[in-house]
Amino acid sequence: MNINMKNKWLPLLLTACLASCSTTKNLPEGEVLYTGIKQIKAEQTDNSVAGKLAQDEVEAALEYAPNNALLGSSSIRTPIPFGLWVYNSFVNSKGGLGKWIFDKLASKPVLISTVNPSVRAKVAKNSLRENGYFAGETTYEVITEKKNPRKAKVSYTYRMNDPYTIDSIRYVRFRHRTDSILRQHLSESVLHVGDNFTASNLELEQERISALMRNNGFYYYRPEFTTFQADTFMHPGKVSLR
């Protein structure tokens, strides 16, 4: 079929497509269309600067845009799911104009199985732990539409609880020369008593020590040469760091 014929019949076929207006009739068997996040509910939050940063990371792990999302939003969609209409109308087209329309205009459905909310909840919980919220929890619920059970939103809840904070810091097992260099620059440490115990700050401290040693003649010192031991049993909610 030449381009002129496509241009001639395209408006008519798209009108028929829009008239059918189904976004789920040709979904794979057993699949449910993801229509966005219903809500992300935060409980027992930490309103400190560190807590706000942790919340941002958690919510970034949970967010996932549905089809026809408005400006990439995870919860707001535009009212006309054009790409989905085209998908459901022409997904079974084997050739000709229908196949051409599908290839050019269809949007692949975003499915609940693609979003995988259980994995996202686990990633969010791990993010809480990496930011010192070892007692943090995350849960989710898939909420299907009453009118169409093949559509569903996801609701997430996360509870931060109190963060673990650094109770003490000791630098041990450094040889004499490296220990002397380290002591001279302790004021530059990324780690401080009272701060949240976070994986990112441990990594930053490894990088700082590595750069410090290389700048003082230990050219092959690498970040992973510095390791950490964290004791959380001595004092509840506190970390004794070596």
Side-chain angles (χ1 to χ4, degrees):
M1 184 178 292
N2 61 41
I3 297 298
N4 290 333
M5 288 295 292
K6 288 178 180 176
N7 291 339
K8 179 180 178 180
W9 288 102
L10 184 57
L12 181 61
L13 287 172
L14 290 182
T15 299
C17 160
L18 300 184
S20 64
C21 288
S22 173
T23 58
T24 59
K25 70 177 182 180
N26 283 318
L27 294 182
E29 185 176 354
E31 295 286 4
V32 177
L33 183 70
Y34 168 71
T35 57
I37 292 177
K38 184 175 181 64
Q39 69 169 349
I40 298 178
K41 184 179 180 182
E43 297 180 345
Q44 298 185 18
T45 57
D46 175 6
N47 293 319
S48 67
V49 173
K52 294 290 187 183
L53 291 173
Q55 289 183 63
D56 288 343
E57 288 186 23
V58 168
E59 295 185 10
L62 299 176
E63 291 173 350
Y64 199 102
N67 289 102
N68 58 293
L70 180 63
L71 301 176
S73 171
S74 294
S75 56
I76 303 173
R77 303 168 70 203
T78 59
I80 302 177
F82 180 79
L84 281 177
W85 288 341
V86 174
Y87 177 92
N88 279 279
S89 295
F90 296 100
V91 67
N92 295 318
S93 299
K94 302 302 182 183
L97 182 57
K99 179 68 163 54
W100 182 86
I101 291 174
F102 181 83
D103 291 341
K104 296 295 183 181
L105 302 175
S107 294
K108 186 177 181 180
V110 179
L111 306 172
I112 289 291
S113 62
T114 303
V115 177
N116 207 337
S118 63
V119 170
R120 292 190 172 276
K122 290 176 182 177
V123 172
K125 181 177 180 178
N126 188 57
S127 181
L128 286 173
R129 292 180 61 83
E130 289 183 348
N131 282 279
Y133 300 90
F134 296 136
E137 295 290 340
T138 60
T139 58
Y140 74 94
E141 181 183 5
V142 176
I143 305 168
T144 57
E145 289 190 9
K146 293 181 179 179
K147 293 183 178 181
N148 186 349
R150 301 203 71 187
K151 293 182 180 181
K153 292 183 178 293
V154 182
S155 180
Y156 295 98
T157 300
Y158 68 92
R159 183 178 296 106
M160 299 182 75
N161 295 315
D162 293 332
Y164 276 63
T165 57
I166 298 175
D167 182 56
S168 62
I169 305 170
R170 295 177 58 205
Y171 293 83
V172 299
R173 297 183 181 176
F174 285 85
R175 294 183 178 181
H176 177 71
R177 186 180 171 195
T178 55
D179 185 73
S180 296
I181 295 169
L182 192 61
R183 302 295 168 185
Q184 292 171 14
H185 295 268
L186 277 183
S187 62
E188 301 167 8
S189 175
V190 178
L191 305 173
H192 306 96
V193 171
D195 285 353
N196 284 15
F197 177 74
T198 69
S200 59
N201 278 351
L202 295 185
E203 292 174 0
L204 288 173
E205 183 67 353
Q206 284 179 312
E207 292 170 4
R208 183 190 74 86
I209 292 174
S210 178
L212 177 63
M213 295 305 170
R214 290 200 303 269
N215 290 338
N216 282 274
F218 294 88
Y219 302 117
Y220 299 103
Y221 200 103
R222 298 188 306 203
E224 59 268 28
F225 290 177
T226 303
T227 60
F228 299 92
Q229 292 179 336
D231 187 345
T232 60
F233 293 102
M234 292 182 63
H235 305 287
K238 302 290 186 181
V239 177
S240 296
L241 186 62
R242 287 161 52 96

